[in-house]
């Protein structure tokens, strides 16, 4: 659902032009220190506190706690980064930076240790100038690179955001390289994030100096600003590669100035550009909507894809855009982006974006709807300010042979109690927690542990003829539950178990699935209620020729 509406994705079968998937914008790999093989993910304090007194030890510890407690660490967020205003306005007698004792009474090292104990990484900030950017004027690192880098390393810093203010006109390459060399000389791996707002085209020279570089100005919490930063970040797409990331600045989700639709668009667009995912809102009290946006695992997987290619705009006009990002394993992410306030249809020619003739699974990464399509035209209705983000994966017909579906990757699934399990009973909600599939005391090594209401679909491509399985309610529910097992071939019902209770002996189902593109294994409630409806598909075998 986007903007309160279900997005209908229509796949039109059009003319196909063959052609290998070639990505002319993938530039040769640039030097990388290997510290950020995928775009850094984490939190930055600037927008939450700016320079006010709420930036302190308690606040940063609270953010680290929230990242762990709310599942953001599990989702991939790693860095807890302090921005400007952490230091005293003057260096000490030895010439070192001093953490503001009011904000950080235990110092920065103790805070970094706390963050590390949580399994997270710690970042800090200064400027490649004589003072930082905040008008209060904190000391910058220009001409103090070595002592500041040593101090940061001694504190256990993992990430340095290095700004551009008060740089005295010294050449940017020289300033940033000096800090790079100083960090390297400490022997501690420290990610270097260059923040010179794209002024000196850092994408052309900062590979091998920095791990990420800003491509534009500070992002504000409004739509025009998202568009501005998008437009600065798209052109250098070809310079993104593992360890070298274009940085269009913070994610504004949770800041309140835009709608959830707009924040989901920003998240989709940043991900398809392989941008760093640095959250700028107070994670200690993130709303459910913000959490849903920033933890969408399918979208994060696009951003973090190991191929590390920046998405490129392949089509644009009237505020409607198509951005494509090649992913590992011949998959591609396609963002259909409507920057206008009016609903529109966006069509993308699959041939034009590098697909040759063949079949594809198309997954909408927000609605989770999955379709099988043939080369031709992708067309989606995209509400104003929305982005439909799709993952397209080539699929082939199932090769000849006899296969257990528990070893075939599903096309899509839904399940009544956590995800369905492979070669285990459904168990409880977490994945992988089931037991041996057991029907009336007989254990099965292979099969699917479902819980009604459940639907598990497979793409077969028309090459298979029969599907057989032994079905029943798993012994783990001890006498409870009632379900019906059904098999659909291309949406036609081809087998039905009738009502099955826990006491019902295991039943053999056999279905004719000749020529079916897809098959669907369905478990529905038997009519009482859906509790304890642990339906097992033991040895679901398909024969394909
Ligand atoms: C500059 C940077 C911002 C922030 C502030 C802090 O404006 O671009 O991201 O770090 O400085 O003063």
């Amino acid at each position: 659902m986007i903007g309160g509406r279900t997005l209908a994705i229509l796949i039109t079968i059009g003319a196909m032009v063959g052609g290998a998937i070639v990505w002319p914008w993938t530039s040769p790999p640039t030097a990388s220190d290997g510290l950020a093989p995928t775009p850094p993910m984490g939190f930055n304090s600037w927008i939450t506190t700016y320079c006010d007194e709420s930036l302190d030890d308690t606040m940063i510890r609270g953010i680290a706690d929230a990242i762990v407690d709310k599942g953001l660490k599990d989702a991939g967020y790693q860095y807890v980064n302090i921005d400007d205003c952490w230091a005293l306005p003057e260096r000490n007698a030895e010439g070192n930076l001093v953490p503001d004792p009011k904000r950080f009474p235990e110092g920065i090292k103790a805070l970094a240790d706390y963050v590390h104990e949580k399994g997270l990484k710690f970042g800090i900030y200064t400027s490649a100038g004589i003072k930082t950017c905040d008008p209060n004027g904190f000391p910058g690192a220009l001409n103090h690179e070595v002592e500041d880098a040593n101090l940061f390393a001694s504190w256990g810093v993992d990430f340095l955001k290095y700004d551009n203010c008060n740089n005295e006109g010294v050449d940017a390459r020289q300033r940033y390289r000096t800090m790079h060399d100083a960090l390297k000389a400490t022997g501690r791996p420290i990610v270097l994030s260059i923040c010179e707002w794209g002024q000196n085209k850092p994408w052309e020279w900062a590979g091998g100096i920095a791990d990420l570089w800003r491509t534009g100005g500070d992002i504000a919490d409004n739509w025009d600003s998202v568009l501005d930063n998008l437009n600065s970040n798209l052109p250098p797409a070809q310079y993104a590669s593992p360890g070298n990331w274009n940085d269009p600045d913070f994610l504004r989700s949770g800041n309140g100035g835009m709608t959830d639709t707009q924040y989901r668009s920003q998240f989709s667009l940043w991900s398809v550009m392989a941008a760093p995912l640095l959250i700028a809102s107070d994670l200690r009290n993130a709303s459910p909507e913000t959490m849903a946006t920033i933890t969408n695992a399918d979208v994060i997987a696009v951003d973090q894809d190991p191929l590390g290619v920046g998405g490129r705009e392949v089509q644009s006009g009237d505020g409607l855009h198509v951005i494509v990002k090649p992913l590992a394993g011949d998959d591609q992410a396609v963002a259909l982006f409507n920057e206008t306030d009016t609903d529109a249809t966006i069509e993308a020619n699959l041939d034009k974006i590098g697909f040759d003739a063949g079949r594809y699974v198309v997954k909408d990464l927000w609605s989770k709807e999955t379709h099988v399509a043939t080369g031709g035209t992708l067309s989606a209705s995209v509400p104003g300010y929305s982005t439909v983000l799709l993952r397209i994966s080539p699929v082939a017909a199932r090769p000849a042979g006899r296969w257990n579906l528990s070893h075939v990757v599903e096309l899509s699934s839904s399940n009544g109690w956590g995800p369905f399990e492979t070669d285990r009973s459904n168990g409880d909600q977490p994945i992988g927690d089931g037991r041996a599939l057991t029907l009336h005391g007989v254990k099965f090594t292979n099969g699917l542990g479902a819980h009604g209401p459940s639907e598990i679909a497979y793409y077969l491509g028309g090459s298979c003829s029969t599907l057989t399985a032994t079905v029943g309610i798993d012994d783990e529910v001890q006498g409870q539950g009632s379900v019906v097992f059904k098999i659909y071939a291309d949406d036609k019902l081809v087998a039905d178990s009738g009502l099955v209770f826990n006491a019902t002996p295991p039943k053999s189902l056999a279905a004719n699935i000749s020529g079916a593109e897809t098959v669907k294994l369905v478990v529905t409630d038997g009519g009482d209620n859906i509790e304890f409806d642990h339906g097992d598909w033991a040895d679901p075998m398909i024969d394909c020729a």
Side-chain angles (χ1 to χ4, degrees):
M1 298 274 279
I2 289 188
R5 255 167 293 196
T6 304
L7 291 166
I9 295 174
L10 311 165
I11 309 297
T12 321
I13 313 283
M16 290 180 301
V17 182
I21 301 176
V22 177
W23 298 106
W25 61 86
T26 308
S27 56
T30 333
S32 153
D33 55 15
L35 298 182
T38 61
M41 294 173 65
F43 166 86
N44 175 289
S45 64
W46 184 241
I47 305 298
T48 303
T49 64
Y50 294 106
C51 211
D52 69 32
E53 60 193 22
S54 59
L55 173 70
D56 65 10
D57 185 274
T58 308
M59 183 260 175
I60 298 297
R61 286 179 194 236
I63 294 287
D65 294 346
I67 289 177
V68 174
D69 298 346
K70 298 187 178 199
L72 290 157
K73 181 183 172 208
D74 290 340
Y77 294 92
Q78 199 182 13
Y79 290 96
V80 180
N81 294 349
I82 300 188
D83 208 283
D84 204 352
C85 302
W86 58 268
L88 284 180
E90 301 300 335
R91 292 174 179 269
N92 66 15
E94 291 80 52
N96 278 327
L97 297 165
V98 184
D100 182 336
K102 270 215 230 82
R103 298 181 191 270
F104 301 102
E106 295 178 41
I108 298 290
K109 176 150 192 341
L111 180 55
D113 288 348
Y114 183 84
V115 170
H116 289 149
E117 277 157 24
K118 300 235 134 196
L120 301 170
K121 294 191 168 175
F122 180 77
I124 208 161
Y125 163 100
T126 189
S127 181
I130 54 167
K131 285 192 183 301
T132 65
C133 292
D134 188 82
N136 288 301
F138 301 97
L142 187 64
N143 305 323
H144 294 268
E145 290 87 352
V146 171
E147 60 259 39
D148 289 357
N150 287 338
L151 187 64
F152 296 151
S154 75
W155 287 343
V157 164
D158 305 298
F159 182 109
L160 174 65
K161 174 173 170 182
Y162 202 33
D163 218 329
N164 192 36
C165 294
N166 307 303
N167 61 48
E168 306 272 286
V170 181
D171 177 67
R173 294 177 202 218
Q174 186 191 320
R175 286 182 290 125
Y176 291 105
R177 180 171 283 288
T178 306
M179 181 53 89
H180 164 268
D181 293 348
L183 290 173
K184 189 136 200 192
T186 68
R188 184 175 174 85
I190 300 177
V191 167
L192 180 57
S193 156
I194 291 186
C195 178
E196 55 77 89
W197 320 301
Q199 285 184 348
N200 304 280
K201 299 191 179 169
W203 46 88
E204 288 182 354
W205 50 267
I209 294 180
D211 303 278
L212 57 157
W213 46 78
R214 285 269 296 275
T215 53
D218 288 8
I219 193 162
D221 192 18
N222 64 61
W223 193 238
D224 285 346
S225 187
V226 168
L227 296 179
D228 278 352
N229 284 33
L230 173 73
N231 289 327
S232 320
N233 204 70
L234 277 170
Q238 72 195 75
Y239 294 94
S241 67
N244 297 287
W245 307 110
N246 294 313
D247 175 7
D249 206 8
F250 306 134
L251 294 166
R252 297 298 305 235
S253 186
N255 290 136
M258 288 184 271
T259 63
D260 285 323
T261 298
Q262 291 171 324
Y263 289 131
R264 276 194 297 269
S265 265
Q266 194 203 0
F267 199 66
S268 299
L269 295 165
W270 265 226
S271 293
V272 84
M273 293 191 295
L277 301 179
L278 294 169
I279 299 164
S281 62
D282 189 343
L283 292 170
R284 293 169 301 176
N285 40 48
S287 69
E289 292 76 16
T290 295
M291 288 301 296
T293 298
I294 64 179
T295 60
N296 184 322
D298 287 326
V299 180
I300 291 173
V302 169
D303 181 78
Q304 296 289 303
D305 185 81
L307 213 53
V309 178
R312 173 154 171 181
E313 188 163 54
V314 296
Q315 199 174 301
S316 161
D318 300 328
L320 307 177
H321 311 261
V322 179
I323 303 166
V324 181
K325 179 186 199 286
L327 305 172
D330 289 342
D331 283 12
Q332 297 193 57
V334 180
L336 306 174
F337 170 48
N338 177 1
E339 71 167 76
T340 77
D341 61 2
T342 314
D343 301 0
T345 297
I346 302 181
E347 282 196 358
N349 189 319
L350 281 172
D351 304 324
K352 227 169 80 184
I353 60 184
F355 281 81
D356 54 4
R359 289 183 191 284
Y360 307 94
V361 174
V362 181
K363 181 173 184 187
D364 182 318
L365 302 186
W366 289 103
S367 75
K368 311 296 180 192
E369 284 171 31
T370 304
H371 304 260
V372 178
T374 311
T377 309
L378 257 185
S379 171
S381 64
V382 188
Y385 302 127
S386 291
T387 303
V388 172
L389 186 61
L390 306 171
R391 184 179 187 115
I392 308 189
S393 322
V395 279
R398 196 94 294 266
R402 188 167 158 75
W403 307 97
N404 195 309
L405 281 176
S406 71
H407 301 151
V408 177
V409 178
E410 75 278 9
L411 181 60
S412 62
S413 70
S414 60
N415 194 58
W417 189 240
F420 79 88
E421 300 285 348
T422 298
D423 297 339
R424 290 164 171 274
S425 65
N426 192 101
D428 222 310
Q429 297 207 48
I431 186 145
D433 73 334
R435 306 166 176 85
L437 292 156
T438 313
L439 298 174
H440 282 235
V442 179
K443 292 196 189 319
F444 293 82
T445 309
N446 300 119
L448 311 167
H451 188 300
S454 167
E455 287 196 12
I456 310 169
Y458 295 89
Y459 179 75
L460 303 179
S463 65
C464 308
S465 54
T466 57
L467 194 168
T468 56
T470 302
V471 297
I473 294 186
D474 196 278
D475 286 5
E476 71 184 354
V477 295
Q478 302 176 356
Q480 315 209 52
S482 70
V483 299
V484 179
F485 293 85
K486 293 175 178 172
I487 299 172
Y488 291 85
D490 288 338
D491 295 326
K492 182 174 159 228
L493 182 66
V494 288
D496 184 330
S497 68
L499 196 52
V500 170
F501 295 95
N502 195 223
T504 313
K507 287 193 174 185
S508 296
L509 284 189
N512 179 351
I513 55 165
S514 294
E517 288 270 305
T518 59
V519 291
K520 205 158 58 181
L521 274 48
V522 174
V523 180
T524 60
D525 168 37
D528 44 3
N529 61 56
I530 60 162
E531 284 185 10
F532 303 105
D533 286 353
H534 291 224
D536 290 349
W537 298 89
D539 286 332
M541 304 300 299
I542 47 172
D543 287 295
C544 311

